[in-house]
Amino acid sequence: MVDKLTVLFLVLAVVILLVGVAVTVITSVPVFQPQQQQVTQPQGVPQYTQTGMVTVDVVPRGG
Amino acid sequence: MANKLNTASSIFLLIGLVLIGFSVARTAGITGMITGTSTVTVSNDTTISMVVSTVAFGTMSIGQTNDTSDANPPAFQTRNDGNVFINLSINASSLWVNAPNPTTNYTYKCNNVSGNWQGCKSTSPATQTTYANMPTSATQFIWNLSFTSTNDTAAADINVTVPTDEGGGAKSSTVTFTSAYCNCG
């Protein structure tokens, strides 16, 4: 004969088991977590210079 | 019978507690998986080079005008050799003795290089698409020049008119192109 305490204990164990399984399943579902990308504005990016040359040969007046 | 049920229920209870423990640990981030972060910093580079660095108009007479829009002579060409979008500025020393900069006798504008569609955007107010007097201090004339290999070169057209009171002889002007990082890509 099964006593009431044993049945209660069994029911409690099953409930806990189900809760545990449920929580495990829920927390196992991958959750998308957006990646936050922080872009730091470059400070002090050096400037570069290059030079060119414009040349003209001017014909002298009356030349 | 009762003992067997007690044993079974105890096992169920133990399994339930273990699963709950796993759940709590997973939720709290206590797992066996190791994570790490790797960081790579790429320096911003605004290096430029001159593809065409000399504009030689050759012999010209008093009052004569010539420019590079017909590629005779070829215009300046500046290439973005860096890894970021850049703005280009221009300034130059005076070409004429009797018409120092800025003067309508010595003007410039941006132009596109064949195959480089991004070099000179007429839609940008920061781009000089019509001839302007050559400045003595750095003045932006090309905006948002790309660094990708097919769109990284822009041209600077030069237009000169020999002043009517200019003396004869060889005239030259040093043109300086300055690149600056453009946060506009």
Side-chain angles (χ1 to χ4, degrees), chain B residues 140-179:
Chain B
Q140 183 176 315
F141 77 113
I142 289 177
W143 176 83
N144 197 21
L145 179 61
S146 177
F147 56 91
T148 55
S149 59
T150 55
N151 293 305
D152 60 355
T153 305
D157 275 329
I158 301 296
N159 184 313
V160 297
T161 299
V162 183
T164 54
D165 56 351
E166 187 72 14
K171 313 291 177 181
S172 67
S173 166
T174 300
V175 183
T176 302
F177 297 89
T178 304
S179 68

Side-chain angles (χ1 to χ4, degrees), chain A residues 1-3 5-7 9-14 16-17 19-21 23-25 27-30 40-42 45-61, chain B residues 5-6 9 12-13 15 19-20 23 26-27 44 46-48 50 53-60 62 76 106 164 167-181 183:
Chain A
M1 184 62 182
V2 180
D3 58 34
L5 185 59
T6 299
V7 172
F9 199 32
L10 182 59
V11 170
L12 182 62
V14 171
I16 292 175
L17 176 62
V19 170
V21 170
V23 172
T24 301
V25 169
T27 57
S28 296
V29 175
T40 302
Q41 297 298 322
V45 178
Q47 295 183 331
Y48 287 87
T49 61
Q50 288 285 343
T51 57
M53 184 72 73
V54 174
T55 61
V56 178
D57 290 322
V58 178
V59 178
R61 189 182 296 275
Chain B
L5 285 174
N6 277 336
S9 61
F12 282 131
L13 180 60
I15 294 172
L19 290 173
I20 289 176
S23 300
R26 185 183 178 87
T27 305
N44 292 287
T46 60
T47 303
I48 55 174
M50 299 302 294
S53 61
T54 300
V55 175
F57 285 98
T59 302
M60 296 179 66
I62 298 296
F76 286 119
Y106 184 23
T164 54
K171 313 291 177 181
S172 67
S173 166
T174 300
V175 183
T176 302
F177 297 89
T178 304
S179 68
Y181 169 71
N183 185 21

